[in-house]
Amino acid sequence: MKDVYILGIESSCDETACAVVKNGTSVLSNVVFSQIDVHKVFGGVVPEIASRNHVEVVDVVVNQALQQANLTFDDVDAIAVTYGAGLVGALLVGVSYAKALAQSLNKPLIAVNHVEGHICSNYLSNPQLKPPFLCLLTSGGHTAIVRVEDYTTYTVLCSTADDAIGECFDKVARVLGLPYPGGVYVDQLAQKGKAVYPFKSVVLPNGNFSFSGIKTAVVNLVHNAQQKGEEIKKEDVSASFTKVAIDGLMKRLERELETSPIKTVAIAGGVAANSYLRQQVEKLQQKAINVCLPQLVYCGDNGAMIASQGYFQFVKGDFASLDLNACPTLRFRAKYEKKN
Ligand code: KG4
Ligand code: ZN
């Protein structure tokens, strides 16, 4: 079969990103323009500012991705773009740009769900990985254990009943006075601390997750200490939160592995960069589980993961029309399996 080159565009939040990927797994270029410094002063992403920044750089980022891949628009087989979920104004920049490219170049347009892109980041780092496998999805907006049935079919086995784990990392960072987005800083502090605070498990009796309780517990712990003028070690709070949150995910994942015939595990989403999570998942190898971790560069938002999912949709002939619109509340296109 002829090689297929997909140009993937991602602009759902505060990263303007574009990549060229060959045959779904081979990354020829991956350009990520991060706006974090612009938003940091506000303690979070300001949607209007994000959209404006995407507009300013999208053209440059796309052209750089082509240049680095040593290709021209003629060589590209299709344009894949994130159309949801995310910030509507931010998504619209990528979607409009991709539509204009597809129309002017007369190439197919492929609409990619951001979450599915995150899962595909695993194929970029582990080209030998093939479905079925279980994926622990840990992003800013999602927390779930997903059975990846094939390259475009997903079943959610359990998920969070309230907040996502990434959101929770950011909230913990905020109450500890760390910069935004705080997950990475909590990770660094946790490595120097002791898990002395016994927060309650994040696994619910029905097998789903809940992060709102632990989030409130951390906030209360820090506020109470501040009110009493007591010193609290940020390192210990970070270590305690990280341990309880991640151990809960691992416990639930191991329970799933006990009954599943699938013995391959991958992780995805921004929190997949967490060092404690990666260590714990790697330990599954001792139980004869085949473990795949995405490289750090593919854990956060990037265009390569969108191009990868785009390739698998291309192969299936799953194309979008030029009516495509941004869908800020797009749900994970998955089946949900009820399980205790
Ligand atoms: O997957 P992502 O880009 O967001 C969504 O698509 O929703 O992930 C961003 C999240 C943020 O909450 C960020 O704090 C978190 O990933 N994150 C981390 C680490 N690096 C990024 N959380 C914990 N440890 C890290 N090392
Ligand atoms: Zn993301």
Side-chain angles (χ1 to χ4, degrees), residues 114 118 139-141 166-167 169-170 181-184 187 269-271 273-274 299-301:
H114 184 79
H118 270 301
S139 74
E167 201 183 327
F169 262 101
D170 293 341
V184 65
D187 186 357
V271 184
N274 184 270
C299 291
D301 293 347

Side-chain angles (χ1 to χ4, degrees), residues 178-199:
L178 304 171
Y180 180 87
V184 65
Y185 300 102
V186 173
D187 186 357
Q188 287 161 7
L189 286 182
Q191 293 174 44
K192 299 183 213 143
K194 289 202 183 80
V196 291
Y197 298 105
F199 297 122

Side-chain angles (χ1 to χ4, degrees), residues 102-254:
Q103 161 86 332
S104 59
L105 300 170
N106 199 21
K107 308 257 179 192
L109 178 70
I110 301 170
V112 175
N113 184 315
H114 184 79
V115 179
E116 297 177 16
H118 270 301
I119 293 174
C120 288
S121 62
N122 283 288
Y123 304 123
L124 307 173
S125 301
N126 311 281
Q128 79 293 349
L129 173 66
K130 288 185 172 51
F133 59 91
L134 298 185
C135 185
L136 184 56
L137 178 62
T138 54
S139 74
H142 287 80
T143 312
I145 297 176
V146 178
R147 190 168 62 226
V148 180
E149 316 278 2
D150 66 38
Y151 293 98
T152 55
T153 313
Y154 304 95
T155 302
V156 174
L157 304 178
C158 64
S159 59
T160 178
D162 41 54
D163 303 330
I165 187 167
E167 201 183 327
C168 204
F169 262 101
D170 293 341
K171 183 73 189 184
V172 169
R174 191 176 200 156
V175 77
L176 292 176
L178 304 171
Y180 180 87
V184 65
Y185 300 102
V186 173
D187 186 357
Q188 287 161 7
L189 286 182
Q191 293 174 44
K192 299 183 213 143
K194 289 202 183 80
V196 291
Y197 298 105
F199 297 122
K200 281 204 190 120
S201 170
V202 298
V203 185
L204 294 171
N206 69 4
N208 283 324
F209 302 112
S210 167
F211 287 92
S212 65
I214 194 168
K215 186 174 85 178
T216 309
V218 173
V219 171
N220 288 345
L221 176 78
V222 176
H223 284 169
N224 284 340
Q226 282 167 349
Q227 278 162 7
K228 291 183 193 156
E230 288 170 5
E231 233 195 273
I232 192 154
K233 273 188 83 180
K234 292 181 184 183
E235 290 83 353
D236 290 351
V237 177
S238 300
S240 307
F241 163 73
T242 302
K243 181 161 174 34
V244 174
I246 305 280
D247 284 356
L249 296 182
M250 293 306 301
K251 186 176 134 199
R252 185 64 187 82
L253 178 60
E254 289 190 41

